[in-house]
Amino acid sequence: MSVYEDAKQKAQGLIQASMAKVVALAPDSWIPGGEPDPLIRERHGHIGQPVSRIDGPLKVSGKAPFAAEFPLPDMAYAALVYSTIAKGRISTIETSVAEAAPGVLLVMTYKNAPRLHRPPLFLSGEKAAGGDSLPVMQDDSIHWNGQPVALVLAETQEQADHAKTLIRVDYAIDRAMVSFSEARELGTDTAQFMGQPLHEEIGKAEQALKSAPVTVDATYTTPRHNHNPIELHGLTVAWEGDTLRMHDAQQLVSHTAWSMAQVFGIEEKQVVVTSPYVGGGFGSKSMWQHHILAAAAAKIAGRPVRIVLSREGVFRVVGGRSPTEQRVALGAELDGKLVALIHTGVTVKTPHNAMPEPFILPTRSAYAAENVLLDVQKVELDMLGNTFMRAPGEAVGTFALECAMDELAEQLGIDPIELRIRNEPDKDPISGLPFSSRHIVEAYRVGADRFGWEHRNPKPGAPTDGEWLVGMGCATATYPYYRMPGGAARITITREGRAIVAVAVHEMGMGTATVQTQVTADRLGLPMDSVVFNYGDSTLPGVIMAGGSQQTAAIGASVIAAPNKLIEELLRLAGNDSPLAGLKAKDVGSVNGGLCKLNEPSCHETYQSLLTRAQRDTVSVEAQPPQPLEMMHWSMHSYGAMFCEVRVSKVTGEPRITRFLGSFDCGRILNPKTATSQFRGGIIMGLGLALMEDAQFDERTGRIMNPTLAEYHVPVHMDVPKIDVIWTDVPDPHAPMGAHGIGEIGITGTGAAVANAVYNATGKRVRDLPITLDKLL
């Protein structure tokens, strides 16, 4: 038996033992930071099954209405004109020719736009959703190259697109700060993320680095990245009296409804945002200037408006990921134990947004080290406000950290996996909190065995296959667990034994509706086809966004609280003739379409019988889950061990990924089918980050010069290799349903795994993403 086979058996034994321990617990209810979720103990068979997405048939048949597909009577179509300077003022804007063009209904500029309030900047308040805090078309000021300066409304999209080309704009240009290097020379400031400074310091890391027997000290850079979801950013908007209705591509419907109300000076209840289907978001589907402009134009014209950004328009109006320059310095003893871990650097933001790229986040909990220095500095440029992009911070931060770990392993002559295992922390290195669940070592060992890591030749450039150099690399993936407050949910049970769940959450393709239907069915002891899950509507309960890989946990906590309250109400209505008479919620469980006494399944009554007895057609409750206190008690994260095999042509330098494996530790996997898709999707996006994506920012003009998919490359089918995905499936007893988020973990560590495999194949260490063939020749 190989060491990896032995490790795999030990890991599987640990997994089974952990599962048995958790299942044996029998608390009354899940308490954040305290007792585990009862669903870990009691399962009715839906959770853990590879259920196909319930929205799949609608999507593949073309019957799922996306934001730009809602037909409204008398609809007008919008097109935007974008500024061509980075800073200054509009000196003249000539619109008369466009206004006279066929089909044109309105040309809106700062001269005739309605008076609006500034959008509330995302993270500035509980429901704030604005991508920036700038006034929208309220004066002649220009703040970035690409800012909308005019909106044309016409009878058809073609007429609007033509008319916008007839608008002439002259500018008075001010000197703009658009150079990263120039801004850095003028000085930097400590960046903040979610209201906290991005700075951590333990011990004396620089001194420890100088005295360490073995060191690595290198700079890694990552470029700008832009959002390119397959569904362009679009919405259909209409005013019905004083009510604004928006059919939108959104990942935070409640936040957007509140924020739009602030902009237009109306009550939140006067804005209704619906978003039943979203063709990808990754952080970009929030509230941007085109939302406000379309609603303003609809108000002036008195007609419904449809606006769909062109692919170029997405680059001009919707923020992306900022560039970074990162220093990672590691000092280690000869046995590989870290004595110094330094991760510092600089990133970019704008004066009108709150999103520096927080690349030190994964380093906070990755490895044990006696001395730690983490710091993110920022400069501010006159550019489009950057925003969240899948695994903000972790996606690019793990590239630098995990490449440095690979470099250290080579200097020490230690296997890269073994080096990581030797530096496993026994508690969170920064906060000192215990880990709620951490099985990354098991994930590494099982993954290494499956990938065939023992066949890796540690000598760079040694394995060849004809003209191809062949290499293997690995890296650790990590992403924090989040659960945000505000996750109220409503559950209704009908006399027919159907359950209807209502919560203002989102389905962006990750399987939310399917998984939560599974969870609710298990909670209530119902078949899945007896559960309806309503979502994507700001009028529903809850303030939950699809971001931070936290939506599943947030909904899960809600779908614990609401059924508990529902069961209490049903028992109150049961009456003395019910076999459940006198029982409390803690005394019963849900099974076979009703409730039964725990440990006495024959003492059972169906929901239909309970409602009939109470002479009620429905019973409906709304409940708020407890605050996310579990994050105060435990250090909570998703993990992954990423393995890559790459081939590099000795003739052209072309890199090709031939195999990739992600071995994940993310708590319980609720639906293996949708989870596999999520993991693979993240890895594919990570391959784009590693090999292709680069927004070319012209520092003379502040303009992105490759705003199309012809020039900004993302992976297509022929670029994607065989991707294998496995997981530990060890439930976290301190998370709702035992599950951690999986939407973003797949992109983390992928860039480093690719870079480390490229080095193993070629002996060339590329520290500047993307890894293009010119860097390998």
Side-chain angles (χ1 to χ4, degrees), residues 378-702:
K378 55 92 174 171
V379 298
E380 292 186 344
L381 299 185
D382 297 310
M383 65 176 197
L384 170 64
N386 42 297
T387 193
F388 290 80
M389 190 168 183
R390 199 172 201 164
E394 287 83 6
V396 294
T398 52
F399 165 69
L401 175 64
E402 292 300 302
C403 283
M405 287 294 287
D406 203 67
E407 296 192 47
L408 181 63
E410 184 183 41
Q411 285 203 35
L412 290 165
I414 298 174
D415 180 89
I417 296 176
E418 179 60 29
L419 177 66
R420 288 168 169 84
I421 292 173
R422 291 185 187 184
N423 286 285
E424 263 294 281
D426 56 6
K427 62 182 179 179
D428 189 290
I430 300 298
S431 70
L433 291 173
F435 291 111
S436 64
S437 174
R438 183 173 173 120
H439 304 287
I440 183 62
V441 172
E442 293 83 350
Y444 254 118
R445 287 176 170 156
V446 175
D449 180 75
R450 179 133 165 176
F451 195 71
W453 183 257
E454 70 268 27
H455 301 302
R456 172 183 177 269
N457 190 326
K459 182 179 179 182
T464 60
D465 183 8
E467 74 168 84
W468 298 94
L469 300 167
V470 183
M472 291 186 188
C474 71
T476 298
T478 180
Y479 190 79
Y481 163 97
Y482 293 116
R483 181 173 70 85
M484 299 180 187
R490 181 170 61 243
I491 290 186
T492 301
I493 198 84
T494 72
R495 188 180 289 195
E496 294 75 28
R498 295 179 63 81
I500 303 166
V501 183
V503 58
V505 293
H506 313 82
E507 174 62 88
M508 299 194 298
M510 60 279 214
T512 298
T514 306
V515 169
Q516 294 305 329
T517 299
Q518 291 175 261
V519 170
T520 304
D522 266 8
R523 292 270 177 222
L524 297 177
L526 293 170
M528 282 187 62
D529 59 9
S530 292
V531 176
V532 176
F533 186 77
N534 291 333
Y535 62 94
D537 187 329
S538 63
T539 65
L540 300 177
V543 184
I544 302 175
M545 70 172 181
S549 293
Q550 61 86 45
Q551 186 173 247
T552 296
I555 304 169
S558 303
V559 183
I560 293 171
N564 288 347
K565 189 172 181 180
L566 177 68
I567 290 170
E568 290 174 1
E569 179 64 11
L570 289 171
L571 291 174
R572 188 185 69 81
L573 296 171
N576 293 330
D577 294 334
S578 170
L580 305 175
L583 296 179
K584 304 295 184 183
K586 64 182 180 64
D587 303 321
V588 302
S590 304
V591 68
N592 297 331
L595 303 177
C596 70
K597 186 176 181 180
L598 289 177
N599 303 319
E600 193 177 335
S602 61
C603 185
H604 176 273
E605 186 165 13
T606 66
Y607 299 122
Q608 183 177 18
S609 174
L610 283 165
L611 267 68
T612 300
R613 185 191 305 280
Q615 297 183 340
R616 298 278 293 271
D617 291 328
T618 65
V619 172
S620 184
V621 300
E622 187 172 316
Q624 185 84 22
Q627 292 295 306
L629 302 180
E630 66 267 29
M631 295 186 295
M632 298 176 62
H633 293 274
W634 310 91
S635 179
M636 306 178 76
H637 307 265
S638 293
Y639 303 102
M642 314 301 268
F643 298 86
C644 177
E645 180 185 82
V646 67
R647 293 180 175 226
V648 179
S649 171
K650 290 185 279 187
V651 178
T652 67
E654 174 193 357
R656 290 186 183 177
I657 310 301
T658 48
R659 288 191 299 133
F660 203 99
L661 167 68
S663 177
F664 294 99
D665 174 47
C666 300
R668 161 159 291 166
I669 299 302
L670 302 177
N671 182 328
K673 192 170 188 176
T674 55
T676 297
S677 179
Q678 281 288 87
F679 287 136
R680 284 180 175 152
I683 290 168
I684 292 168
M685 199 166 175
L687 296 179
L689 174 147
L691 300 174
M692 302 174 184
E693 293 193 52
D694 186 357
Q696 298 291 326
F697 187 77
D698 187 342
E699 293 197 345
R700 299 167 298 177
T701 63

Side-chain angles (χ1 to χ4, degrees), residues 59 164 180 192:
K59 288 183 175 178
K164 78 173 186 178
F180 191 176
Q192 290 197 350

Side-chain angles (χ1 to χ4, degrees), residues 96-119:
S96 58
V97 178
E99 289 167 340
V104 172
L105 303 168
L106 169 71
V107 176
M108 190 174 73
T109 71
Y110 75 92
K111 294 181 179 182
N112 63 340
R115 297 302 89 188
L116 304 169
H117 300 287
R118 286 174 179 258

Side-chain angles (χ1 to χ4, degrees), residues 277-335:
Y277 302 101
V278 180
F282 315 111
S284 70
K285 295 284 177 71
S286 55
M287 190 181 86
W288 298 95
Q289 289 203 2
H290 69 282
H291 291 88
I292 298 167
L293 292 170
K299 194 169 187 66
I300 293 175
R303 291 176 61 170
V305 168
R306 175 174 294 167
I307 186 168
V308 181
L309 296 181
S310 65
R311 184 62 64 184
E312 177 186 354
V314 176
F315 279 76
R316 302 288 178 233
V317 178
V318 177
R321 196 192 306 276
S322 286
T324 71
E325 291 186 3
Q326 304 176 51
R327 176 200 177 202
V328 179
L330 305 175
E333 303 288 359
L334 294 177
D335 63 359

Side-chain angles (χ1 to χ4, degrees), residues 34-57:
E35 299 294 349
D37 182 357
L39 199 59
I40 296 175
R41 172 176 52 91
E42 297 174 12
R43 290 178 289 181
H44 298 290
H46 301 303
I47 287 182
Q49 297 303 310
V51 178
S52 295
R53 280 174 28 185
I54 58 178
D55 55 335

